[in-house]
Each structure stands twice: as structure tokens, then as C-alpha cells.
Amino acid sequence: MSDSRIPTVRLGDHGPEVGVQGLGCMGMSFAYGPSDAGESRATLERALELGVTLFDTADAYGAGENERFLSPFFTAHRDEVVIATKFALTIPPDEPAKRIIRNDPPYIRQAVEASLKRLGVDEIDLYYMHRRDVRVPIEESVGTMAELVREGKVKHLGLSEVTADELRAAQEVHPIAAVQSEWSLFSRDIEAHVVPAARELGVALVPYSPLGRGFLTGGFTDATKELTSDDFRRTMPRFQGENATANAALLEPVRAVAEAHGASPAQVALAWVQQRSAVHGLPVVQIPGTRKPHRVEENVAATRIVLTDEELALLEPIAAKVAGTRYPDMSFASRGRE
């Protein structure tokens, strides 16, 4: 494939300029079973060569291990990369389906200092509230995050899995650069309220899991039968039993479109997400995750695929037919609070 770098886009009215596709780094040390550190490091370097500049992590990924793993790469390329990390979420290692959420100001200050230390940097480029603790007014949480900007510890603010009303309330306190939520051919709930609000407010969308956590690639069919015991996709309803069987059948039009383009199903899924930018009129920078250099090359190549109106129409019905929810407990996602 050509080594031409991908184009760039600004994350909303107030955010940094980044490559039009980012890289989700979670799986390099958390959630998706065993990984090879050397191969993951090579993936990071290859992504940067291809113009990927937004690298996404969180303090919850391996209880800080993901941030520590990424630190040498970030410090070696500090002027070339945009570092995005998050606070608010703790996932007990022995209970991978459990979520502990904190948004209170003392915790936010504790979290940012810990992330800065693990990352080995003086300032975080994009700092997200990972999940929403409804017991704490969002104005209070974002107010503390805004203080971190004024103190030079954070450059830009982001929110993850918030509702449209929560986004509007946050924007009243401080400009929000990006909202990160799941968005894919299988997960389109944010289109009802969150996407229109983001467009209205000049906020970018950063879709995570644009490949449906790998399901849209055809890489697995039933998580409980095919994935390792430490893979948290085994806890997700749509990847289990009858749900998984029904959802696997939905991939046929994705494969048909892929064949027409001489592309992979993964590339079609990514091209579809990228075209949401034109469809909805706002910046969209998705962050597919991978741990292999050849996969990041495949993913980046999807930025050059343009789906026709007929192909988009063929893919349109898929999401409405998906069986099973995104998470066992949807209260931690925007849809669960709308």
C-alpha cells in the first residue's frame, strides 16, 4: 500500500488538529487477551508513519498499565503525537463486568497527577471524563477539569458516553473538544441526540469500537466459545449465544460491499464511520484498536474508500437488527440515561 499520510482534521472548534483516523491503544495491555509488547510497539510506530497522531488510552486500562506501556513512545515522539487519556472509571481485575465511577473534584485531581506520572509528560493533550457519575453535578466535574487547563496540566477537554443534555451543560462551563462514544454499523444510538448536539456546539465525535470490538471483521462469532477467558467481550450480551448467531448473519451485506471494493469487511466498516462526518456535518475521528502493524495499515487504507449511496443504503438497516445491548449494564452509557 502507499505510504502517503492520511489527511488531518481539527477536533471541533476548540480542539487539536489530528490525523483523520486515530488509534485505540487499550488492547495492547488490557481487555482483549494476550498481546505481544514488541508487536504493539511496532504498531505504534507504523501508525505514526502513516499519519495517525491521536493515540487513545485511559487510566482504567490495566489499572494504569496501558499508560505506562505507552510512555516511552509518547516521550520519544512528544511533538508529533496527541495524547488522549481518561479518568473516572475503575474496573476490578477479578470482576471485569463491574464499573466503579467517580467524578468528584478530589478524585479528578488525584487521577490527573497519576496519569501525568505514568505517561511521563507535563501536559495531557486531551483529557476525557471516561464515564459519568450522576451523583456529581457535571458542572462541578467539568469545572475542576477546566482548572486543570488553566494550570497547564491539560490542553483540551473531552467527555465519553455522555447524553446531549450533559454535553450542553458541560459546554456552558468550558469548551469541549470531543465526545467519545461507541459508533459503528452495529451501534448507532448516539445519532438520535448526542450527534446533533455535538454538531450544534462545535464538538467533534471520536467513535470507539468502530469495528464492533472486532465482530464486524468476522474475526469471531461467539465470544464465549472462541475468545480467551480474560477477554472482556465474553461479558457483552451481543456477542453471546443466540445473539451472536443472529448478529453474525448481519455481516453479509458488509462482505458484499467489501468484495465490490476489493477491500476487507473491516475497511468497509471503517469507511462507513468516516462518512458519518459528511452525513452529519461534524468532525469524526474514529479510533480503531489494533496490536499489529499490518492491521493498522489496513485500517488507515480505509480512509481512501468512499461508499456509494447504494452501498450506504445496503448497510443502513444493520444496526436496527442487532440483538443484545452494548454492555450488560447500559446505565454507564449515554443511551442508558437518555
Side-chain angles (χ1 to χ4, degrees), residues 69-299:
F69 173 78
L70 294 167
S71 176
F73 171 74
F74 287 159
T75 54
H77 299 285
R78 187 65 190 98
D79 295 336
E80 303 169 79
V81 300
V82 173
I83 301 171
T85 192
K86 315 176 194 75
F87 74 90
L89 175 62
T90 301
I91 304 172
D94 56 342
E95 296 183 79
K98 185 176 181 180
R99 302 289 185 268
I100 300 170
I101 313 295
R102 287 186 63 181
N103 291 174
D104 55 284
Y107 179 82
I108 295 172
R109 289 195 164 276
Q110 172 188 330
V112 74
E113 295 296 342
S115 284
L116 287 167
K117 183 176 181 180
R118 285 189 295 263
L119 291 165
V121 298
D122 296 324
E123 190 174 36
I124 295 165
D125 299 311
L126 179 57
Y127 199 42
Y128 287 102
M129 177 192 295
H130 202 164
R131 289 294 187 272
R132 176 87 173 92
D133 180 356
V134 296
R135 300 168 299 180
V136 181
I138 196 164
E139 295 86 352
E140 185 176 331
S141 302
V142 175
T144 301
M145 296 168 71
E147 291 173 3
L148 302 180
V149 175
R150 291 191 287 272
E151 293 166 12
K153 296 175 180 178
V154 171
K155 287 184 181 178
H156 306 283
L157 302 185
L159 303 170
S160 181
E161 289 288 357
V162 292
T163 67
D165 287 345
E166 290 166 346
L167 174 58
R168 289 191 176 93
Q171 185 83 345
E172 287 291 321
V173 178
H174 189 277
I176 302 298
V179 169
Q180 184 175 134
S181 287
E182 187 167 356
W183 202 3
S184 73
L185 281 167
F186 267 27
S187 301
R188 298 180 59 178
D189 49 40
I190 64 168
E191 293 177 22
H193 304 292
V194 177
V195 171
R199 180 180 62 240
E200 166 197 328
L201 298 170
V203 177
L205 255 295
V206 177
Y208 70 83
S209 299
L211 295 173
R213 303 187 185 278
F215 196 87
L216 284 163
T217 72
F220 70 96
T221 301
D222 190 322
T224 55
K225 295 179 180 178
E226 300 172 53
L227 303 182
T228 58
S229 60
D230 56 349
D231 193 311
F232 91 138
R233 289 173 290 186
R234 291 166 61 97
T235 69
M236 296 183 167
R238 61 178 49 170
F239 303 142
Q240 302 172 11
E242 293 181 357
N243 286 348
T245 301
N247 293 336
L250 299 177
L251 299 182
E252 287 308 314
V254 182
R255 294 191 182 96
V257 173
E259 185 175 353
H261 282 269
S264 68
Q267 289 175 317
V268 169
L270 294 175
W272 182 89
V273 174
Q274 183 171 316
Q275 283 182 237
R276 299 304 91 191
S277 178
V279 170
H280 294 279
L282 78 172
V284 174
V285 180
Q286 58 191 319
I287 49 169
T290 185
R291 303 176 287 197
K292 299 180 184 298
H294 76 276
R295 290 297 185 200
V296 84
E297 292 172 357
E298 177 184 349
N299 293 348

Side-chain angles (χ1 to χ4, degrees), residues 20-38:
V20 74
Q21 187 181 108
L23 180 64
C25 302
M26 178 181 77
M28 294 179 177
S29 54
F30 175 70
Y32 289 162
S35 63
D36 181 283

